[in-house]
Amino acid sequence: MDLLTLLNNCHIYYDSKKIKNYEISGIKINSHEVCPNDVFVAIRGQTNDGHDYIRECINKGVKTIIYEDHYYDYLPIDDVNMIRTHCTKTTLAVLANYFYGQPSKKINLIGVTGTNGKTSVTSFIYQIYRLLNQGCTLIGTNGMKIGDKSLPTENTTPNALVLQQIFAESLKQGITNAVMEVSSHAIKQKRISQLDFNTVILTNFSQDHLDYHRTMLDYFYTKGMLFASLGNCFGEKKVLLNGDDKAYKKFLSLTNVQSYTFGITALNDIQAKNIICSLDKISFHLYCFKEFFGVVESKLFGFFNIYNLLAALGYFYLQGFNMKEILPLLPCVKGIPGRMERIENNIGLDIFIDYAHTPESVYRILSEVRMFTNRRIILVIGCGGNRDELKRPLIGKIATGLANHVILTTDNPRFENPQNIIDNIIQGVINDNYEVVLDRSGAIKKALEMMTKDDILLILGKGHEDYQIINNEKLYFSDKLEVLKYLGIHS
C-alpha cells in the first residue's frame, strides 16, 4: 500500500506540495522497531511521549512522521513527510484499521466491560467456543490467544495497532470470533477506536481507578462511551447488562441498540433460579425469557461466578445457539488462574489466591466465603501504590469486618512508601484483628504458619500476577509459588 492511498482513504489531510509518495511497509509507534518505509505515529503516553523520539526515527531513515505537537511545525526537517493531526491516538486507530483491512468488520467481536468479572466472562465465552470446536480469539488481563496459540500482553486491552494486527491475523487463520476485555483506560486512551463490536457485555459497576478517572462520574461516562459507540440504529448489535447492578439503567440510557439483562432477580431476561453454592461447586436452573433450559453444574467457586456464567450463557443464547448443546459443556469450563484459585496440596489445607483488589471484589469474596462456612478466615491483603487512595480505608474496613485475622502487606507499592499505604488502610479498620508484615513473602509465610486444617486462607490482590513493582523495578514474585514453596518444605 502506498502512503497517499492510506492517507486519502483515512481522510488524513496534508500539503500535497510537500508530500512524497512511496510504498509503506508498516505503521509503528515504537522508535526501536521502525524501518525506513514505516509511518511513525507519535503517541503521548502516561510515562513516555512519542514526540521525544521523532528525531531518532528520522535519523533511522523514516520518511513519514505523524504528530500532534505544534512545536514540530516550526522545525526545519527536510525530505520527511511531516503531518500534524489533532489527536494521534485517534489517527493511529484510523490508519491501523485501514492498513490491516478493517478486520473487526469481518469478525464477530464481543467486548466485555465492567469493574469486576471481565477476565472470567471473556474466558468462559472463549472456552465454550473452543469446546464447540469453533475458533475464537481471546484478549484480556491474562494474555491473548489466537485459537490455541498464547501471546503475552502488557495491558488488559492492547493499543489500537496491536488490536488490528491481532484481528487481521485471526482472520488469516480462519477465526471469525473474538472476545476481549475492554478497560476504562483503553476507552479513554482510544485504544478501541475504530473497533466494530457486535455485542457488549456489562458485568457490574463499582468504585475503581479513581487515581486515573478522579471521579465516579468520569469513570461512568468513560465506560458509557463503549455503549454509545454501538451506533444510533436498532439492528443486529446488542448489549447484555447485569440487571441486578444498580447502575445498569444508566448504561441502558446510553445505547440505542437491542438490550437484554442477566441476573438472579425475576425481571431479568436471562435468570438463575434454585441456586446452590459451596466451596467446591455451584449449580442453578437456567431460564431464558421465562423458559427453563436445564440445570447448570460447575466446579467453579462463588456466587459471583453465577453472574459470570449467566453473562456467557446469555451471550450464546442471544446468538441463537442451542442451549441443550451448551449446558453439558459447562463442567469442562475451568476457572481463571488467580481467580479464587485453590492451591492444591496433600495436607488438607484450604488455600485460595485471588486478584481481588477493589472494595467491591474484596467484599464479594469475603462475604461469600463467610456465607458458606463458620471456619476461621485468615486474610493476606494490601493495596497498590500510586493508585486510588480512597479505596484503602474501605478495604481496611471490609477486611477487618469479615475476616477473623488480617495480615496487611505490600502489593505493588511502586513509588510510595509501603508503610504509608498500610497506614491508609488502617484508617478504615473496625477491629483489632490485624497485624502488619510489610514483606509479602513473610506475610504469606506467617499466614501459613498460623493456619490449621480448620481454617481458610485467602491471599488477595495479585492472583495471577508474577511480579512485585517496587519503585520502577518489576521484580519476580508469585503468591502461588510462595505458598507451594512453603508447603514443599513443611508438607
Side-chain angles (χ1 to χ4, degrees):
M1 184 183 298
D2 64 79
L3 176 64
L4 292 184
T5 297
L6 178 65
L7 295 177
N8 291 335
N9 281 281
C10 293
H11 304 286
I12 306 296
Y13 294 98
Y14 53 88
D15 186 343
S16 59
K17 296 176 183 178
K18 297 181 180 179
I19 291 291
K20 295 180 180 179
N21 197 21
Y22 64 96
E23 197 70 18
I24 61 175
S25 56
I27 301 166
K28 299 288 170 57
I29 59 174
N30 187 333
S31 62
H32 297 302
E33 300 173 353
V34 295
C35 299
N37 283 356
D38 286 337
V39 174
F40 178 73
V41 184
I43 301 292
R44 279 200 176 102
Q46 288 181 279
T47 55
N48 293 301
D49 186 347
H51 293 80
D52 295 337
Y53 302 92
I54 286 177
R55 181 61 66 181
E56 178 186 338
C57 291
I58 292 172
N59 291 339
K60 289 182 175 181
V62 173
K63 300 172 185 174
T64 301
I65 306 289
I66 295 179
Y67 62 97
E68 65 181 55
D69 191 331
H70 288 259
Y71 168 75
Y72 290 90
D73 290 346
Y74 306 104
L75 290 185
I77 302 174
D78 298 325
D79 300 320
V80 177
N81 299 321
M82 298 294 291
I83 302 170
R84 179 168 55 81
T85 64
H86 292 297
C87 176
T88 51
K89 290 175 182 175
T90 300
T91 303
L92 173 68
V94 172
L95 292 173
N97 180 48
Y98 187 81
F99 184 79
Y100 288 101
Q102 300 177 305
S104 70
K105 289 184 177 295
K106 305 166 188 174
I107 211 165
N108 172 37
L109 182 57
I110 309 116
V112 181
T113 195
T115 306
N116 302 302
K118 297 186 295 295
T119 304
S120 294
V121 174
T122 52
S123 175
F124 296 167
I125 291 173
Y126 167 82
Q127 289 185 63
I128 292 171
Y129 266 123
R130 300 303 294 127
L131 290 168
L132 290 168
N133 293 316
Q134 292 193 30
C136 188
T137 289
L138 171 68
I139 301 173
T141 303
N142 286 5
M144 297 183 288
K145 285 189 176 183
I146 301 178
D148 295 324
K149 181 182 178 182
S150 297
L151 302 167
T153 180
E154 291 186 4
N155 299 308
T156 297
T157 312
N159 67 61
L161 185 59
V162 171
L163 287 172
Q164 298 292 351
Q165 291 169 341
I166 291 296
F167 296 140
E169 180 61 29
S170 300
L171 289 170
K172 190 182 294 185
Q173 295 187 23
I175 295 171
T176 56
N177 300 298
V179 58
M180 63 180 287
E181 296 181 48
V182 182
S183 68
S184 59
H185 289 68
I187 299 169
K188 196 154 194 175
Q189 295 169 11
K190 299 183 182 291
R191 294 185 225 155
I192 62 162
S193 175
Q194 310 308 307
L195 294 187
D196 190 17
F197 291 95
N198 290 327
T199 303
V200 169
I201 299 172
L202 175 72
T203 57
N204 47 60
F205 182 76
S206 62
Q207 179 177 322
D208 198 13
H209 302 307
L210 293 191
D211 56 299
Y212 180 74
H213 292 285
R214 299 301 177 190
T215 68
M216 285 295 290
L217 191 62
D218 183 77
Y219 182 38
F220 167 75
Y221 277 114
T222 300
K223 291 279 191 189
M225 287 169 64
L226 175 60
F227 294 86
S229 72
L230 293 174
N232 201 40
C233 298
F234 195 84
E236 294 302 313
K237 294 180 183 293
K238 59 183 75 71
V239 298
L240 180 59
L241 308 102
N242 180 344
D244 293 342
D245 191 277
K246 59 185 179 182
Y248 98 91
K249 285 190 176 180
K250 292 181 180 179
F251 284 102
L252 198 62
S253 69
L254 298 177
T255 182
N256 290 314
V257 302
Q258 299 181 69
S259 304
Y260 307 94
T261 63
F262 65 90
I264 65 172
T265 56
L267 295 179
N268 286 292
D269 303 317
I270 314 297
Q271 186 187 5
K273 294 183 180 181
N274 303 319
I275 297 166
I276 299 174
C277 283
S278 71
L279 283 174
D280 302 306
K281 67 177 182 178
I282 55 177
S283 72
F284 59 87
H285 290 189
L286 176 66
Y287 287 81
C288 300
F289 295 90
K290 309 302 181 183
E291 181 181 355
F292 175 65
F293 277 91
V295 179
V296 173
E297 300 278 359
S298 172
K299 297 177 183 178
L300 299 170
F301 164 84
F303 203 76
F304 56 90
N305 266 323
I306 293 172
Y307 283 92
N308 294 334
L309 283 170
L310 283 174
L313 291 170
Y315 163 76
F316 282 100
Y317 175 83
L318 294 171
Q319 287 296 110
F321 283 81
N322 184 346
M323 301 309 288
K324 302 294 184 183
E325 295 180 8
I326 300 290
L327 295 189
L329 302 175
L330 296 183
C332 300
V333 172
K334 299 176 181 178
I336 312 303
R339 301 303 200 273
M340 277 309 285
E341 179 182 355
R342 181 189 289 272
I343 307 300
E344 300 294 342
N345 61 86
N346 59 6
I347 52 178
L349 296 177
D350 286 326
I351 305 166
F352 297 87
I353 62 171
D354 193 89
Y355 186 58
H357 59 280
T358 67
E360 175 76 16
S361 58
V362 173
Y363 175 80
R364 184 186 64 205
I365 285 174
L366 284 170
S367 60
E368 290 193 21
V369 173
R370 178 60 68 210
M371 187 190 311
F372 301 144
T373 181
N374 289 321
R375 295 159 64 187
R376 183 173 71 153
I377 298 173
I378 301 171
L379 171 65
V380 176
I381 195 168
C383 287
N386 302 113
R387 294 294 186 268
D388 182 8
E389 295 182 15
L390 296 176
K391 71 183 181 183
R392 295 172 186 172
L394 296 175
I395 285 178
K397 178 180 180 180
I398 293 164
T400 55
L402 291 173
N404 297 96
H405 188 79
V406 180
I407 302 176
L408 299 175
T409 188
T410 55
D411 182 352
N412 297 335
R414 297 181 176 85
F415 293 97
E416 277 197 73
N417 182 330
Q419 186 60 54
N420 290 344
I421 299 172
I422 298 296
D423 290 342
N424 290 155
I425 298 173
I426 291 173
Q427 288 176 13
V429 301
I430 57 174
N431 291 308
D432 60 359
N433 56 343
Y434 69 92
E435 61 181 299
V436 176
V437 180
L438 284 178
D439 176 64
R440 192 172 180 93
S441 178
I444 292 172
K445 181 182 178 183
K446 181 70 180 289
L448 289 164
E449 286 174 343
M450 69 185 296
M451 84 173 296
T452 70
K453 292 181 181 180
D454 294 326
D455 299 327
I456 295 173
L457 172 57
L458 303 176
I459 305 172
L460 303 186
K462 300 192 70 63
H464 67 286
E465 289 182 349
D466 59 2
Y467 57 82
Q468 272 271 55
I469 303 174
I470 300 175
N471 294 318
N472 59 353
E473 287 190 88
K474 202 171 187 179
L475 306 174
Y476 184 81
F477 186 90
S478 164
D479 285 351
K480 183 176 182 177
L481 289 184
E482 288 296 316
V483 172
L484 293 175
K485 182 170 65 176
Y486 180 89
L487 294 180
I489 294 171
H490 293 272
S491 60

